[in-house]
Amino acid sequence: MSGAADAATEGPQLSEQLIAEHGIGPDEYERLLQELGREPTLTELGVFSVMWSEHCSYKSSRVWLKKLPTSGPQVIQGPGENAGVVSLGDGQAAVFKMESHNHPSYIEPYQGAATGVGGIMRDVFTMGARPVANMNALRFGSSSHPKTRHLVAGVVSGIGDYGNCMGVPTIGGETNFDPRYNDNILVNAMCVGLVDANRIFKSAAKGVGLPVVYVGSKTGRDGIHGATMASAEFDESSEEKRPTVQVGDPFTEKLLLEACLELMNEDVIIAIQDMGAAGLTSSSVEMSDKGGVGIDLDLDRVPMREEGMTAYEMLLSESQERMLMVLKPGTEPIAERIFNKWELDFAVIGKTTDTGHFVARHRGVVEADIPLPALAHAAPVYERPYTKRDPLPIVAAEDVMAPPSILSTLERLLGSPHLSSRRWIYEQYDHMVMADTVQRPGGDAGVVRVHGTDKGLAVSCDVTPRYCAADPFEGGKQAVAECWRNLTATGAKPLAITDCLNFGNPERPEIMGEFVAAIEGMAQACQVLHFPVVSGNVSLYNETNGVAIPPTPAVGGVGLIANINEMADMALKSDGDVILLLGQESGHLGQSIYMSVMEDRLDGAPPPVDLASERIVGDLVRGLIKAKTLNAVHDVGDGGLLVAVAEMALAGRRGVDLEGAPDGMAKHAVWFGEDQARYVVAATEDKVGTIKDVATIYNVPVRVLGTVRGDKVTLPGEAPLPLGMLRAAYEDWLPRYMTRG
């Protein structure tokens, strides 16, 4: 038993209310007492609070995350480190991860989103990689909600300012508007970096008596209890949590990046860890636990930007742009010289020990002395009760209103908040910095060149929340499959995914049931598509006053293009090219954008995901791209077939002359149904026979849709739709919305 409780400075009594305010329930507090063997100090209570929070311990999700496949010949590092790593061949590797910053972004959209970007980039360069591409997945409430415009403006500005200042291109992403996110937006940030496969740095602090070094920015009082706040639902008092939102400085982060990468060339680092959620506490606990050692911190040595900070505040602060390192003995001067050069703080604040304890001293007093297993392994792990819902009925095409005009409907869909261009957003991001971006935002996936080579790295992030809300199992499958398709459409071989699992309160069985079903769907898709999970994040308690967001398991994927000269994109290229559909058609309208816009309803089952078909059609498409048979490729997603064709036409600034719908199928179901495992491709007329022959070998249906021609979209029996009118509808909604008074 330690003397920390006797020696610690006096603070408030640990009342039931104070314990509850730290997010620790009565049963958990009893467990804490058993682990510690005594009453905790206030500082120790704070440490347990963050380390046992949902955000840090994954206590509700850990059991189910084990179901996700995490290995494969391409995987160098799976879950458990700051980020995942996959091989790109030739001794090169990609490092990537996706994280959430949902709660902070709702409270303070600019700083919340900005520090989300900063945090995910630190996760990547902590591994020794230079970040080369960012993505984001954003979910906002209804466009009619009074807060939405303010939230969009703040989040987009925060993402753009931080990424642009760091000099890392943002090459894509997705943005949804849905009233079910009115009071709990989602901001998921993804970063990809490149590293030599033999130069990967990890976080295990192995060895006793090693110096523990603090580098980067000074510690302030911002972000205290950020991890705990992210593990609780909102209510009317959420605005009061503004002080828990971290404040970022991208210029300092840029210096930190360069200083860390320079130090990594000196062969002095044993372990390195970003100070993210739970700050100094989590970084020191994780490093020492993974290394099987104790850690002893002297908080008097921590660089502070505010006077009179307590041990509690220093340990729980989530001030940004900070790293914790364990160095080889005697190399401190080398590190200090480098960080001084980059005008960053450097301090030796402790050492590793053989005690197996986390110890923090301040002003001659032991403020915390906790066995590390109590923090790292003894956090409660819950197998929470869950319920699963019955499948919804399939919506028949005849039960969905047919429009008077297919092309007028197309114009309306593309001008809606669901499908309109996100150009206003992505043009605020620098997507060409570093000069290696070879496919810009707006297509299926962003692509960056692997610097100095002909290889390309394709990146996409995807999920369809309305599918997940209707059927979390099929929605989880679809999120993985959609990401796989988007990478495939560029010609990339999909390598692996990271995920960001956004759900409501897991203590409610129906919410836990959504989580379980989504994981099971994702696991099945990852297995069949050979698309393992190498990193990720779980964000729970995304709800306000008991109203949860739709289940939103965002999937970020990375794929490899062996030669960017063989890369495909979605833009139609030449008049006379033939447009074809690859994949099975059934005209599935349940949960479709068409139903939402035209009838203001979302009901029925989402489109089923046939994973075997996904695999076959995707392999066919990649083969045709590699053989340079195709001039344009686009997967069929939100809005259905006609929306995909229109997006290709707009991207290439070329019209299309379409044939009519097949006999026996309702026209609106053909053109706007959201059947999965489908691609629209374009090729010269002389290649059509080859495409059909190869598709026959793969047993994949092929249908000629029409021809690239002119500057209009034409369809038998309808007035032609000029591309200019279609573009106006597509491009105008978001800028008009954001500039409205």
Side-chain angles (χ1 to χ4, degrees):
M1 188 179 297
S2 163
D6 299 325
T9 55
E10 292 186 9
Q13 293 296 308
L14 301 187
S15 64
E16 290 183 7
Q17 180 180 345
L18 185 61
I19 294 166
E21 287 172 353
H22 281 72
I24 295 176
D27 291 345
E28 292 181 342
Y29 189 68
E30 285 301 316
R31 182 172 186 144
L32 185 160
L33 294 176
Q34 290 175 14
E35 293 292 335
L36 198 56
R38 56 172 170 80
E39 293 280 340
T41 67
L42 176 62
T43 299
E44 289 171 333
L45 181 68
V47 169
F48 273 102
S49 169
V50 293
M51 294 307 299
W52 284 16
S53 69
E54 192 74 58
H55 191 80
C56 291
S57 74
Y58 288 22
K59 57 190 177 186
S60 298
S61 59
R62 198 182 304 177
V63 169
W64 295 101
L65 294 175
K66 294 176 181 178
K67 292 183 174 291
L68 295 169
T70 59
S71 60
Q74 71 275 39
V75 177
I76 296 174
Q77 176 64 57
E81 274 293 338
N82 286 290
V85 188
V86 292
S87 172
L88 302 179
D90 305 312
Q92 298 168 316
V95 179
F96 63 103
K97 190 181 180 185
M98 183 186 283
E99 276 269 10
S100 62
H101 230 222
N102 305 333
H103 290 64
S105 298
Y106 182 77
I107 296 167
E108 180 30 74
Y110 180 89
Q111 290 294 352
T115 51
V117 173
I120 197 62
M121 282 197 279
R122 285 196 301 280
D123 281 339
V124 167
F125 72 76
T126 301
M127 302 287 292
R130 180 174 289 280
V132 296
N134 288 336
M135 278 208 165
N136 53 76
L138 313 176
R139 322 284 167 188
F140 298 105
S142 167
S143 58
S144 62
H145 191 273
K147 274 194 168 182
T148 297
R149 190 180 292 104
H150 161 73
L151 292 168
V152 173
V155 166
V156 171
S157 185
I159 291 171
D161 287 357
Y162 207 104
N164 295 352
C165 290
M166 283 291 293
V168 178
T170 299
I171 62 170
E174 57 176 349
T175 303
N176 296 151
F177 294 90
D178 187 316
R180 292 172 290 185
Y181 298 103
N182 277 349
D183 298 309
N184 205 126
I185 65 172
L186 303 184
V187 175
N188 297 169
M190 180 178 175
C191 181
V192 184
L194 292 173
V195 69
D196 291 340
N198 62 352
R199 299 279 299 164
I200 297 166
F201 288 79
K202 298 185 180 181
S203 57
K206 296 179 180 179
V208 173
L210 304 174
V212 178
V213 174
Y214 174 118
V215 299
S217 288
K218 290 180 170 62
T219 294
R221 290 187 170 95
D222 56 313
I224 293 174
H225 275 302
T228 308
M229 180 265 292
S231 306
E233 61 184 87
F234 282 154
D235 55 28
E236 292 84 354
S237 65
S238 61
E239 293 292 326
E240 298 172 7
K241 298 178 181 178
R242 201 173 292 273
T244 64
V245 178
Q246 310 91 332
V247 178
D249 178 359
F251 300 104
T252 300
E253 176 120 336
K254 174 65 173 172
L255 299 176
L256 183 62
L257 162 66
E258 299 300 340
C260 287
L261 293 181
E262 183 175 338
L263 185 62
M264 287 167 173
N265 288 325
E266 296 289 338
D267 192 29
V268 303
I269 299 174
I270 290 175
I272 180 170
Q273 179 73 39
D274 161 42
M275 288 193 227
L280 182 55
T281 293
S282 72
S283 55
S284 54
V285 169
E286 289 173 15
M287 290 174 77
S288 51
D289 176 67
K290 288 177 182 177
V293 296
I295 192 164
D296 195 317
L297 301 178
D298 183 354
L299 300 181
D300 294 336
R301 299 181 181 182
V302 172
M304 291 180 290
R305 67 167 185 261
E306 299 182 46
E307 294 183 0
M309 290 189 68
T310 64
Y312 180 101
E313 291 171 327
M314 281 185 277
L315 287 172
L316 271 61
S317 166
E318 295 183 10
S319 296
Q320 299 291 285
E321 294 84 41
R322 303 180 299 159
M323 290 282 185
L324 199 66
M325 299 181 183
V326 174
L327 303 181
K328 294 179 180 179
T331 64
E332 298 95 320
I334 299 172
E336 185 171 16
R337 172 179 55 79
I338 290 172
F339 282 93
N340 286 343
K341 167 190 165 182
W342 291 98
E343 299 181 341
L344 296 167
D345 279 284
F346 173 95
V348 179
I349 66 166
K351 62 183 179 181
T352 59
T353 69
D354 60 1
T355 65
H357 279 230
F358 169 83
V359 178
R361 308 171 192 273
H362 188 222
R363 297 172 182 169
V365 175
V366 177
E367 291 278 359
D369 187 345
I370 306 171
L372 276 161
L375 297 174
H377 305 293
V381 176
Y382 297 119
E383 294 190 41
R384 298 194 183 277
Y386 63 90
T387 56
K388 289 190 180 181
R389 65 183 70 148
D390 294 330
L392 295 171
I394 294 172
V395 175
E398 56 266 27
D399 295 329
V400 181
M401 175 191 70
S405 164
I406 295 293
L407 293 182
S408 295
T409 302
L410 171 66
E411 185 179 8
R412 182 174 171 183
L413 295 186
L414 284 181
S416 71
H418 302 287
L419 296 176
S420 63
S421 169
R422 300 325 192 211
R423 185 184 303 275
W424 183 90
I425 294 174
Y426 65 71
E427 284 191 343
Q428 296 185 52
Y429 310 148
D430 190 336
H431 43 267
M432 296 304 294
V433 65
M434 302 181 83
D436 277 321
T437 304
V438 292
Q439 196 156 159
R440 304 182 184 191
D444 286 306
V447 183
V448 291
R449 183 196 306 266
V450 177
H451 192 73
T453 75
D454 287 330
K455 293 188 285 192
L457 203 58
V459 189
S460 182
C461 53
D462 301 280
V463 65
T464 309
R466 64 185 187 278
Y467 294 173
C468 297
D471 186 330
F473 177 75
E474 286 296 326
K477 284 165 62 179
Q478 195 273 342
V480 174
E482 173 77 8
C483 186
W484 196 84
R485 283 201 303 272
N486 282 334
L487 298 174
T488 293
T490 68
K493 178 184 179 182
L495 294 177
I497 69 169
T498 181
D499 57 44
C500 197
L501 307 176
N502 309 272
F503 291 80
N505 184 346
E507 297 168 47
R508 294 163 55 194
E510 68 274 20
I511 300 296
M512 197 65 214
E514 292 175 347
F515 184 87
V516 170
I519 288 286
E520 290 175 338
M522 291 173 65
Q524 191 178 109
C526 290
Q527 200 74 49
V528 173
L529 299 176
H530 298 173
F531 205 24
V533 181
V534 296
S535 61
N537 167 244
V538 178
S539 175
L540 303 177
Y541 296 94
N542 289 287
E543 57 182 72
T544 300
N545 293 325
V547 179
I549 62 162
T552 311
V555 170
V558 168
L560 178 65
I561 301 173
N563 187 334
I564 56 172
N565 297 309
E566 298 170 352
M567 178 181 70
D569 63 35
M570 64 187 255
L572 298 177
K573 306 295 190 300
S574 305
D575 280 8
D577 279 1
V578 180
I579 306 167
L580 305 101
L581 174 66
L582 304 179
Q584 187 67 50
E585 297 179 90
S586 65
H588 191 102
L589 287 170
Q591 301 296 327
S592 64
I593 296 289
Y594 175 85
M595 281 180 60
S596 176
V597 173
M598 301 302 290
E599 293 196 357
D600 193 25
R601 60 184 270 221
L602 277 177
D603 56 85
V609 181
D610 184 330
L611 294 169
S613 293
E614 292 281 3
R615 182 76 187 268
I616 291 167
V617 183
D619 290 349
L620 165 65
V621 169
R622 277 196 309 280
L624 291 171
I625 293 172
K626 186 172 178 60
K628 297 187 176 181
T629 307
L630 307 177
N631 290 343
V633 183
H634 189 24
D635 93 300
V636 181
D638 280 352
L641 176 58
L642 189 55
V643 167
V645 173
E647 289 170 342
M648 297 172 77
L650 290 169
R653 299 182 178 274
R654 295 185 180 274
V656 292
D657 189 1
L658 297 173
E659 299 179 5
D663 293 338
M665 291 185 69
K667 291 181 182 178
H668 61 307
V670 170
W671 294 117
F672 304 117
E674 297 181 6
D675 312 330
Q676 302 294 293
R678 297 188 297 166
Y679 300 78
V680 177
V681 303
T684 54
E685 191 172 5
D686 62 311
K687 299 287 179 63
V688 172
T690 300
I691 294 169
K692 289 181 175 179
D693 290 344
V694 177
T696 300
I697 296 170
Y698 279 80
N699 198 29
V700 172
V702 181
R703 179 164 72 89
V704 173
L705 298 176
T707 308
V708 180
R709 184 177 295 120
D711 60 0
K712 299 179 178 65
V713 180
T714 66
L715 198 60
E718 301 222 2
L721 176 59
L723 273 189
M725 288 178 60
L726 191 60
R727 186 175 305 280
Y730 181 59
E731 297 281 1
D732 287 357
W733 181 83
L734 190 52
R736 276 193 292 106
Y737 172 71
M738 293 306 299
T739 55
R740 205 176 298 157

